[in-house]
């Protein structure tokens, strides 16, 4: 319905996340992604208030487990907002591992975790790309500004990436092309 006093429905993010990704390699194949998320100030404050039970500005032991079990693990349903593609097909992850939540010196919450691949990828033979986004409008997920993607464990090959818009996998009702890193390995 439209009229002189109506406006189209609009959504906006409630959470902002800066992402760093390290492509983990063995035998020059990608075997997993070590991911770091750094949350915005406001959402960080919410997490700290809820999960830092002893108020020491750190998440240790049971607190870390509570963050993982209550604020993180449900993101499995959306691939942890991390979309790795091999020849344009989404890659399946194994069970997330090595989850650690912490609070930075400037009071922002940081998550570190590993997404192991079910099957290693050959980035020389196949077209491999990585995107980070939430298709629901509520979380603004973006690559960090400085060196958002690194490679570790590669021995015989050199890898880098080229950022661009992912026109093939548009989001938000086909209105937005998310940022995508295409890997170039040789």
């Amino acid at each position: 319905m439209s009229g002189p006093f109506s406006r189209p429905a609009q959504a906006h993010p409630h959470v902002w996340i800066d992402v760093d990704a390290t492509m983990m390699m063995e035998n020059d194949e990608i075997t997993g992604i070590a991911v770091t998320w750094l949350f915005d100030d406001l959402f960080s404050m919410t997490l700290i208030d809820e999960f830092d039970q002893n108020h020491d500005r750190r998440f240790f032991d049971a607190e870390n487990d509570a963050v993982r079990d209550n604020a993180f693990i449900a993101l499995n349903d959306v691939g942890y907002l991390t979309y790795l593609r091999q020849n344009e097909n989404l890659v399946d992850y194994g069970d997330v591992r090595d989850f650690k939540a912490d609070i930075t010196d400037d009071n922002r919450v940081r998550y570190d975790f590993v997404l192991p691949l079910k099957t290693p990828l050959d980035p020389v033979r196949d077209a491999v790309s990585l995107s980070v986004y939430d298709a629901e409008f509520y979380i603004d997920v973006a690559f960090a500004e400085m060196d958002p993607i690194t490679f570790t464990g590669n021995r015989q090959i050199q890898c880098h990436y080229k950022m661009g818009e992912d026109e093939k996998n548009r989001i938000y009702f086909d209105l937005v092309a998310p940022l995508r890193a295409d890997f170039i390995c040789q």
Side-chain angles (χ1 to χ4, degrees):
M1 172 195 281
S2 66
F5 300 108
S6 66
R7 288 194 265 189
Q10 295 180 3
H12 56 84
H14 298 158
V15 177
W16 289 261
I17 305 172
D18 294 329
V19 178
D20 287 305
T22 299
M23 306 311 296
M24 302 165 55
M25 301 179 80
E26 293 177 24
N27 300 319
D28 290 329
E29 293 182 317
I30 299 170
T31 58
I33 310 170
V35 181
T36 298
W37 288 354
L38 188 60
F39 289 96
D40 66 273
D41 297 338
L42 186 59
F43 189 71
S44 292
M45 186 171 49
T46 302
L47 288 172
I48 292 166
D49 285 347
E50 185 168 345
F51 295 108
D52 184 19
Q53 298 299 307
N54 62 3
H55 309 290
D56 66 352
R57 293 294 192 216
R58 295 290 178 241
F59 294 126
F60 290 116
D61 304 323
E63 293 170 335
N64 188 74
D65 293 346
V67 173
R68 181 194 63 225
D69 296 344
N70 295 290
F72 173 72
I73 208 69
L75 293 171
N76 177 52
D77 294 340
V78 289
Y80 299 99
L81 310 175
T82 306
Y83 302 96
L84 186 66
R85 288 185 168 79
Q86 173 189 29
N87 301 322
E88 298 302 328
N89 297 308
L90 281 175
V91 172
D92 290 327
Y93 302 120
D95 293 334
V96 67
R97 67 174 203 253
D98 303 334
F99 176 81
K100 181 174 181 347
D102 203 359
I103 303 168
T104 66
D105 291 340
D106 60 347
N107 291 319
R108 291 178 67 187
V109 171
R110 174 182 165 147
Y111 288 176
D112 292 289
F113 56 97
V114 172
L115 296 171
L117 305 187
K118 287 187 175 180
T119 305
L121 299 181
D122 183 339
V124 173
R125 181 189 68 218
D126 295 319
V128 179
S129 65
L130 180 67
S131 300
V132 294
Y133 57 84
D134 169 42
E136 301 296 326
F137 285 127
Y138 301 112
I139 303 173
D140 183 340
V141 186
F143 286 113
E145 290 183 21
M146 298 294 295
D147 300 320
I149 300 172
T150 56
F151 297 84
T152 185
N154 47 321
R155 300 197 187 285
Q156 303 288 326
I157 62 173
Q158 296 296 316
C159 295
H160 63 282
Y161 59 91
K162 180 180 178 186
M163 288 287 190
E165 291 185 349
D166 188 351
E167 292 294 338
K168 295 176 184 173
N169 296 291
R170 295 179 69 82
I171 57 175
Y172 307 143
F173 307 103
D174 211 31
L175 297 172
V176 175
L179 196 58
R180 165 179 165 151
D182 289 303
F183 299 156
I184 300 121
C185 298
Q186 40 187 299

